[in-house]
Amino acid sequence: MARKVKIISALKTLRASEWWASKFGPIFGTVYASAIIFDIPFSNLIYFIFFLLIALAPGACFVSLINDLTDIEEDKRAGKRNRLENHSKLFAIILIFICLSIGMVVSLFLSKLSFALYFGAWVVFACYSIPPVRLKDRGGLGVLADALGAYVFPQLFAVSLLADWLLKELDFVWITVIGLWTFFLGLRGILSHQIADRENDRKSGIKTFALAYEKASVQKLVKRLIFPAELLVFGLIYVYTASLTAVWFLGFYVLLTLLTRRILEVEFV
């Protein structure tokens, strides 16, 4: 029982429940769509997905750890719970070292382009959280950094890695469409988070983009510009893959979401 509690505590510290669905779900979707582009059966992706998980998980954990480690004082001022507040800095540093070590081993098996995209995500998030750069505290630069580090680089890395794995040439149009979609997806994600966390950021003194402007203005930016652009590029993904199966699955997902809202009264964001 004690061991189980420790494992659960570690997973909470690494925010595994937060980045699994919101970050890894879209990446898997991109991998499946890329398999259609490369004309590869999904059954051939089992070992690839296993390696992709090994590659991405330490990066996601690294992001969670450095973000919490550098936010301890700000979270105290805001009265906000920090996952590392009950752990020593040595504990966090050891976990960060483990993440970096795994990432370095993974890097040994990557091509130049895949390595650049993989390494880029780590660097961007280090700059996002760690002083004195700390882009998180620099308005629009923080928004761009989060979108690139959390969505664009990992997604493009997954496509590049799959091309390397299958010995295929990268489709420039495809990788451009994926890059644009994940960029708008990332902008919407971080701005929605900043809007929801405005009061905590105000108390802690973090100068986010959402605090620099009226809440209504940022919401309009997301609803009237960023989200429509995201939907448009997302539609291009379906046009480019030309997969009837994907359309059926999308329809099933929309139906399931509507039923969830109606039966469980879950509100859309």
Side-chain angles (χ1 to χ4, degrees), residues 47-91:
Y47 295 112
F48 171 79
I49 288 177
F50 180 71
F51 180 77
L52 184 63
L53 280 172
I54 293 176
L56 293 176
C61 295
F62 169 79
V63 170
S64 300
L65 288 165
I66 62 170
N67 190 59
D68 282 341
L69 184 61
T70 55
D71 276 359
I72 289 178
E73 294 304 318
E74 285 84 353
D75 288 344
K76 282 182 180 179
R77 289 198 294 268
K80 183 179 176 183
R81 181 177 175 273
N82 186 294
R83 291 167 181 79
L84 290 176
E85 61 186 2
N86 295 323
H87 297 281
S88 66
K89 286 189 177 181
L90 179 61
F91 171 80

Coordinates of all heavy atoms in Angstrom, one line a residue, residues 47-91:
Y47 N 5.8 -0.8 -32.4 CA 7.1 -0.6 -31.8 C 7.5 0.9 -31.9 O 8.2 1.4 -31.0 CB 8.2 -1.4 -32.5 CG 8.0 -2.9 -32.3 CD1 7.6 -3.7 -33.4 CD2 8.2 -3.5 -31.1 CE1 7.4 -5.1 -33.2 CE2 8.0 -4.8 -30.8 CZ 7.7 -5.6 -31.9 OH 7.5 -7.0 -31.7
F48 N 7.0 1.6 -33.0 CA 7.3 3.0 -33.1 C 6.7 3.8 -32.0 O 7.3 4.7 -31.4 CB 6.8 3.5 -34.5 CG 6.9 5.0 -34.6 CD1 8.0 5.6 -34.9 CD2 5.7 5.8 -34.4 CE1 8.1 7.0 -34.9 CE2 5.8 7.1 -34.5 CZ 7.0 7.8 -34.8
I49 N 5.4 3.5 -31.7 CA 4.7 4.2 -30.6 C 5.4 4.0 -29.3 O 5.5 4.9 -28.5 CB 3.2 3.8 -30.6 CG1 2.5 4.4 -31.8 CG2 2.5 4.3 -29.3 CD1 1.1 4.0 -32.0
F50 N 5.8 2.8 -29.1 CA 6.6 2.5 -27.8 C 7.8 3.3 -27.7 O 8.1 3.9 -26.7 CB 6.9 1.0 -27.8 CG 7.7 0.6 -26.6 CD1 7.0 0.5 -25.3 CD2 9.0 0.3 -26.6 CE1 7.7 0.1 -24.2 CE2 9.7 -0.1 -25.5 CZ 9.1 -0.2 -24.3
F51 N 8.6 3.5 -28.8 CA 9.8 4.3 -28.8 C 9.4 5.8 -28.6 O 10.1 6.5 -27.9 CB 10.6 4.1 -30.0 CG 11.9 4.9 -30.1 CD1 13.0 4.6 -29.4 CD2 11.9 6.1 -30.8 CE1 14.1 5.3 -29.4 CE2 13.1 6.9 -30.9 CZ 14.2 6.5 -30.1
L52 N 8.3 6.2 -29.3 CA 7.9 7.6 -29.2 C 7.5 7.9 -27.8 O 7.8 9.0 -27.3 CB 6.7 7.8 -30.1 CG 6.1 9.2 -30.2 CD1 7.2 10.2 -30.8 CD2 4.9 9.3 -31.1
L53 N 6.8 7.0 -27.1 CA 6.5 7.3 -25.7 C 7.7 7.4 -24.8 O 7.8 8.3 -24.0 CB 5.6 6.1 -25.1 CG 4.2 6.1 -25.5 CD1 3.5 4.8 -25.1 CD2 3.5 7.3 -24.8
I54 N 8.7 6.6 -25.1 CA 10.0 6.7 -24.3 C 10.7 8.0 -24.6 O 11.3 8.6 -23.7 CB 10.9 5.5 -24.7 CG1 10.3 4.1 -24.2 CG2 12.3 5.7 -24.1 CD1 11.1 2.9 -24.6
A55 N 10.5 8.5 -25.8 CA 11.2 9.8 -26.2 C 10.5 11.0 -25.6 O 11.1 11.9 -25.1 CB 11.2 9.9 -27.7
L56 N 9.1 10.9 -25.6 CA 8.3 12.1 -25.2 C 8.1 12.2 -23.7 O 8.1 13.3 -23.2 CB 7.0 12.1 -25.9 CG 7.0 12.3 -27.4 CD1 5.6 12.2 -28.0 CD2 7.6 13.7 -27.8
A57 N 8.0 11.1 -23.0 CA 7.6 11.1 -21.6 C 8.6 11.9 -20.7 O 8.2 12.7 -19.9 CB 7.5 9.7 -21.1
P58 N 10.0 11.7 -20.9 CA 10.9 12.4 -20.1 C 10.8 13.9 -20.3 O 11.0 14.7 -19.4 CB 12.3 11.9 -20.5 CG 12.1 11.2 -21.8 CD 10.7 10.7 -21.7
G59 N 10.5 14.3 -21.6 CA 10.4 15.7 -21.9 C 9.2 16.4 -21.2 O 9.3 17.5 -20.6
A60 N 8.1 15.6 -21.2 CA 6.9 16.1 -20.5 C 7.1 16.2 -19.0 O 6.7 17.2 -18.4 CB 5.7 15.2 -20.8
C61 N 7.8 15.2 -18.4 CA 8.1 15.3 -17.0 C 9.1 16.4 -16.7 O 8.9 17.1 -15.7 CB 8.7 13.9 -16.6 SG 7.6 12.5 -16.7
F62 N 10.0 16.6 -17.5 CA 11.0 17.7 -17.4 C 10.3 19.1 -17.3 O 10.6 19.9 -16.5 CB 12.0 17.7 -18.5 CG 12.9 18.9 -18.6 CD1 14.0 19.0 -17.8 CD2 12.6 19.9 -19.6 CE1 14.8 20.2 -17.9 CE2 13.5 21.0 -19.7 CZ 14.6 21.1 -18.8
V63 N 9.3 19.3 -18.2 CA 8.6 20.5 -18.3 C 7.8 20.7 -17.0 O 7.8 21.8 -16.4 CB 7.6 20.5 -19.5 CG1 6.6 21.7 -19.4 CG2 8.3 20.5 -20.8
S64 N 7.1 19.7 -16.5 CA 6.4 19.8 -15.3 C 7.2 20.1 -14.1 O 6.9 21.0 -13.2 CB 5.6 18.5 -15.0 OG 4.7 18.2 -16.1
L65 N 8.4 19.5 -14.0 CA 9.3 19.6 -12.9 C 9.9 21.0 -12.8 O 9.9 21.7 -11.8 CB 10.4 18.6 -12.9 CG 10.0 17.2 -12.6 CD1 11.0 16.2 -13.0 CD2 9.7 17.0 -11.1
I66 N 10.4 21.5 -13.9 CA 11.1 22.8 -13.9 C 10.0 24.0 -13.7 O 10.3 25.0 -13.1 CB 12.0 23.1 -15.2 CG1 11.1 23.1 -16.4 CG2 13.1 22.1 -15.3 CD1 11.9 23.6 -17.6
N67 N 8.8 23.7 -14.3 CA 7.8 24.7 -14.1 C 7.4 24.9 -12.6 O 7.3 26.0 -12.1 CB 6.6 24.3 -14.9 CG 5.6 25.5 -15.0 OD1 5.8 26.5 -15.4 ND2 4.4 25.2 -14.5
D68 N 7.2 23.7 -12.0 CA 6.9 23.8 -10.5 C 8.0 24.3 -9.7 O 7.8 25.0 -8.7 CB 6.4 22.4 -10.0 CG 5.0 22.0 -10.5 OD1 4.3 23.0 -10.8 OD2 4.6 20.9 -10.5
L69 N 9.2 23.8 -10.0 CA 10.4 24.2 -9.3 C 10.6 25.7 -9.3 O 11.0 26.4 -8.3 CB 11.7 23.5 -9.8 CG 13.0 23.7 -9.0 CD1 12.8 23.2 -7.6 CD2 14.1 23.0 -9.7
T70 N 10.5 26.3 -10.4 CA 10.7 27.8 -10.6 C 9.5 28.6 -10.2 O 9.6 29.8 -10.1 CB 11.1 28.1 -12.1 OG1 10.1 27.6 -12.9 CG2 12.4 27.5 -12.4
D71 N 8.3 28.0 -9.9 CA 7.1 28.7 -9.6 C 6.8 28.6 -8.1 O 5.7 29.1 -7.7 CB 5.9 28.1 -10.3 CG 5.8 28.7 -11.7 OD1 6.6 29.6 -12.1 OD2 4.9 28.3 -12.5
I72 N 7.7 28.0 -7.3 CA 7.3 27.8 -5.9 C 7.0 29.1 -5.1 O 6.0 29.2 -4.5 CB 8.5 27.1 -5.2 CG1 8.6 25.6 -5.6 CG2 8.3 27.1 -3.6 CD1 9.7 24.8 -5.0
E73 N 7.9 30.1 -5.3 CA 7.6 31.4 -4.6 C 6.4 32.1 -5.1 O 5.6 32.6 -4.3 CB 8.8 32.3 -4.7 CG 10.1 31.7 -4.0 CD 9.9 31.5 -2.6 OE1 9.2 32.3 -1.9 OE2 10.3 30.4 -2.1
E74 N 6.2 32.1 -6.4 CA 5.0 32.7 -7.0 C 3.7 32.0 -6.5 O 2.7 32.7 -6.2 CB 5.1 32.7 -8.5 CG 6.0 33.7 -9.2 CD 7.5 33.1 -9.2 OE1 7.7 32.1 -8.6 OE2 8.3 33.8 -9.8
D75 N 3.7 30.7 -6.5 CA 2.6 29.9 -6.1 C 2.2 30.2 -4.6 O 1.1 30.3 -4.2 CB 2.8 28.4 -6.3 CG 2.7 28.1 -7.8 OD1 2.2 28.9 -8.5 OD2 3.2 27.0 -8.1
K76 N 3.3 30.4 -3.8 CA 3.1 30.8 -2.4 C 2.3 32.1 -2.2 O 1.4 32.2 -1.4 CB 4.4 30.8 -1.6 CG 5.0 29.5 -1.3 CD 6.3 29.6 -0.5 CE 6.9 28.3 -0.1 NZ 8.2 28.4 0.6
R77 N 2.8 33.1 -3.0 CA 2.1 34.4 -3.0 C 0.7 34.3 -3.4 O -0.2 35.1 -2.9 CB 2.9 35.4 -3.9 CG 4.3 35.8 -3.3 CD 4.8 37.1 -4.0 NE 5.1 36.9 -5.4 CZ 6.3 36.5 -5.8 NH1 7.3 36.3 -5.0 NH2 6.5 36.4 -7.1
A78 N 0.4 33.5 -4.4 CA -1.0 33.3 -4.9 C -1.8 32.4 -4.0 O -3.0 32.3 -4.3 CB -0.9 32.9 -6.3
G79 N -1.2 31.7 -3.1 CA -2.0 30.7 -2.3 C -2.3 29.5 -3.1 O -3.3 28.9 -2.8
K80 N -1.5 29.2 -4.1 CA -1.8 28.1 -5.0 C -0.9 26.9 -4.7 O 0.3 27.1 -4.3 CB -1.5 28.6 -6.4 CG -1.8 27.6 -7.5 CD -1.4 28.2 -8.9 CE -1.6 27.2 -10.0 NZ -1.2 27.8 -11.3
R81 N -1.5 25.7 -4.8 CA -0.8 24.5 -4.4 C 0.3 24.2 -5.5 O 0.1 24.4 -6.7 CB -1.7 23.3 -4.4 CG -1.0 22.0 -4.0 CD -2.1 20.9 -3.9 NE -1.4 19.6 -3.7 CZ -1.0 18.8 -4.7 NH1 -1.1 19.2 -5.9 NH2 -0.4 17.7 -4.4
N82 N 1.5 23.9 -5.0 CA 2.6 23.5 -5.9 C 3.0 22.1 -5.6 O 3.2 21.7 -4.4 CB 3.8 24.5 -5.6 CG 4.9 24.2 -6.6 OD1 5.6 23.2 -6.6 ND2 5.2 25.2 -7.4
R83 N 3.2 21.3 -6.6 CA 3.4 19.9 -6.4 C 4.8 19.5 -5.8 O 5.0 18.4 -5.4 CB 3.3 19.1 -7.7 CG 1.8 19.1 -8.3 CD 1.8 18.7 -9.7 NE 0.4 18.6 -10.2 CZ -0.3 19.7 -10.6 NH1 0.3 20.9 -10.5 NH2 -1.5 19.6 -11.0
L84 N 5.7 20.5 -5.8 CA 7.0 20.3 -5.2 C 7.1 20.9 -3.8 O 8.2 20.9 -3.2 CB 8.1 20.8 -6.1 CG 8.3 20.0 -7.4 CD1 9.3 20.7 -8.3 CD2 8.7 18.6 -7.1
E85 N 6.1 21.5 -3.3 CA 6.2 22.3 -2.0 C 6.5 21.4 -0.9 O 7.1 21.8 0.1 CB 4.9 23.0 -1.8 CG 3.6 22.1 -1.6 CD 2.4 22.9 -1.5 OE1 2.4 24.2 -1.6 OE2 1.3 22.3 -1.3
N86 N 6.1 20.1 -0.9 CA 6.4 19.2 0.1 C 7.6 18.3 -0.1 O 7.9 17.3 0.6 CB 5.2 18.3 0.4 CG 4.0 19.1 0.9 OD1 4.2 20.0 1.7 ND2 2.8 18.7 0.5
H87 N 8.4 18.6 -1.2 CA 9.6 17.9 -1.5 C 10.8 18.8 -1.5 O 10.7 20.0 -1.7 CB 9.5 17.3 -2.9 CG 8.3 16.3 -3.1 ND1 8.4 15.0 -2.6 CD2 7.1 16.4 -3.6 CE1 7.3 14.3 -2.9 NE2 6.5 15.2 -3.5
S88 N 12.0 18.2 -1.3 CA 13.2 19.0 -1.3 C 13.6 19.4 -2.7 O 13.2 18.7 -3.7 CB 14.3 18.3 -0.6 OG 14.7 17.1 -1.4
K89 N 14.4 20.4 -2.8 CA 14.9 20.8 -4.2 C 15.8 19.7 -4.7 O 15.8 19.5 -6.0 CB 15.7 22.1 -4.1 CG 14.8 23.3 -3.9 CD 15.6 24.6 -4.1 CE 14.7 25.8 -4.0 NZ 15.5 27.1 -4.1
L90 N 16.5 18.9 -3.8 CA 17.3 17.8 -4.3 C 16.5 16.8 -5.0 O 16.9 16.2 -6.0 CB 18.1 17.2 -3.1 CG 19.0 16.0 -3.4 CD1 20.0 16.4 -4.4 CD2 19.6 15.5 -2.1
F91 N 15.3 16.5 -4.4 CA 14.4 15.5 -5.0 C 14.0 15.9 -6.4 O 14.0 15.1 -7.4 CB 13.1 15.5 -4.2 CG 12.0 14.7 -4.8 CD1 12.0 13.3 -4.7 CD2 10.9 15.3 -5.4 CE1 10.9 12.5 -5.3 CE2 9.9 14.6 -6.0 CZ 9.9 13.2 -5.9

